[in-house]
Amino acid sequence: MAKTRLTDFTGATIRPGVVIAYPTRQGNRVRTSEGIVLETLSDRSTGRVVPMLKVKPTGRDSGFVQRKTLTVQTVSAEHVVVIADTKESK
């Protein structure tokens, strides 16, 4: 990613190891999912830089239908919020 700090809308730093909540689609609905950030990426395929995150879902989701897989996903960093930090901060 770039040298600038990637943050959510509250100003918390998004970095590998933090737990985030992010929107996901399930059929025709949108639900909120929880996941651990594995890596920060940037997508330049649209002609502009879009921050992306490689996320490992924890299995905690809103909604009635349970998640089928816990595979690693790549999501946009636009609508995420940091919930907790899994690493000790110095």
Side-chain angles (χ1 to χ4, degrees):
M1 191 69 200
K3 295 182 184 200
T4 59
R5 192 173 80 124
L6 181 61
T7 62
D8 65 0
F9 64 91
T10 65
T13 303
I14 301 171
R15 63 179 182 275
V18 297
V19 179
I20 60 168
Y22 61 98
T24 54
R25 283 205 163 277
Q26 197 265 320
N28 206 17
R29 297 179 164 235
V30 177
R31 65 179 172 187
T32 303
S33 298
E34 183 182 88
I36 299 172
V37 176
L38 300 176
E39 183 180 0
T40 58
L41 310 163
S42 56
D43 181 21
R44 295 180 185 95
S45 64
T46 60
R48 62 185 182 106
V49 179
V50 178
M52 303 292 281
L53 303 170
K54 195 170 276 194
V55 177
K56 173 73 175 158
T58 61
R60 295 179 62 188
D61 301 303
S62 66
F64 296 106
V65 180
Q66 198 171 21
R67 179 184 285 275
K68 293 180 182 177
T69 65
L70 294 176
T71 59
V72 174
Q73 298 179 344
T74 302
V75 298
S76 172
E78 186 175 8
H79 297 289
V80 304
V81 64
V82 175
I83 298 174
D85 193 354
T86 58
K87 296 180 181 178
E88 295 292 324
S89 56
K90 293 182 179 181

